[in-house]
Amino acid sequence: MGVFTFAVAGIHSFDISDYLAQHDICIRAGQHCAEPFMEYVGQHHTCRMSLHLYNTREDIDRFFEVLEKAILELK
């Protein structure tokens, strides 16, 4: 299991989340109940992707393929 958090400069986390959702990929976006910490590190919002035992390598590869498309289309 794992979690990683990321932000893409110039694209709001909600826009990335919406784009991925349109491609049947669910992530979390926003401040993740950590507003004081986010303010402390100077980050206003992030995306968070979680993996679990049921995710396959294909799921991960597809996530990155769609994320790359999102970045190209939303910039």
Side-chain angles (χ1 to χ4, degrees):
M1 295 184 288
V3 174
F4 71 93
T5 302
F6 63 95
V8 179
I11 305 175
H12 198 284
S13 61
F14 292 162
D15 295 335
I16 292 174
S17 176
D18 288 345
Y19 186 96
L20 293 175
Q22 291 171 12
H23 294 83
D24 299 322
I25 298 173
C26 296
I27 65 169
R28 298 290 309 265
Q31 295 179 326
H32 315 290
C33 299
E35 186 175 353
F37 175 74
M38 300 283 276
E39 185 175 319
Y40 175 76
V41 298
Q43 189 68 44
H44 300 290
H45 51 83
T46 60
C47 298
R48 187 176 70 203
M49 193 271 245
S50 303
L51 297 170
H52 201 57
L53 299 173
Y54 50 76
N55 290 111
T56 65
R57 170 167 259 164
E58 290 79 19
D59 292 336
I60 298 166
D61 290 343
R62 185 162 179 278
F63 166 78
F64 283 108
E65 288 171 12
V66 175
L67 177 61
E68 185 174 354
K69 289 178 185 178
I71 292 168
L72 292 173
E73 288 185 29
L74 296 173
K75 277 224 167 186

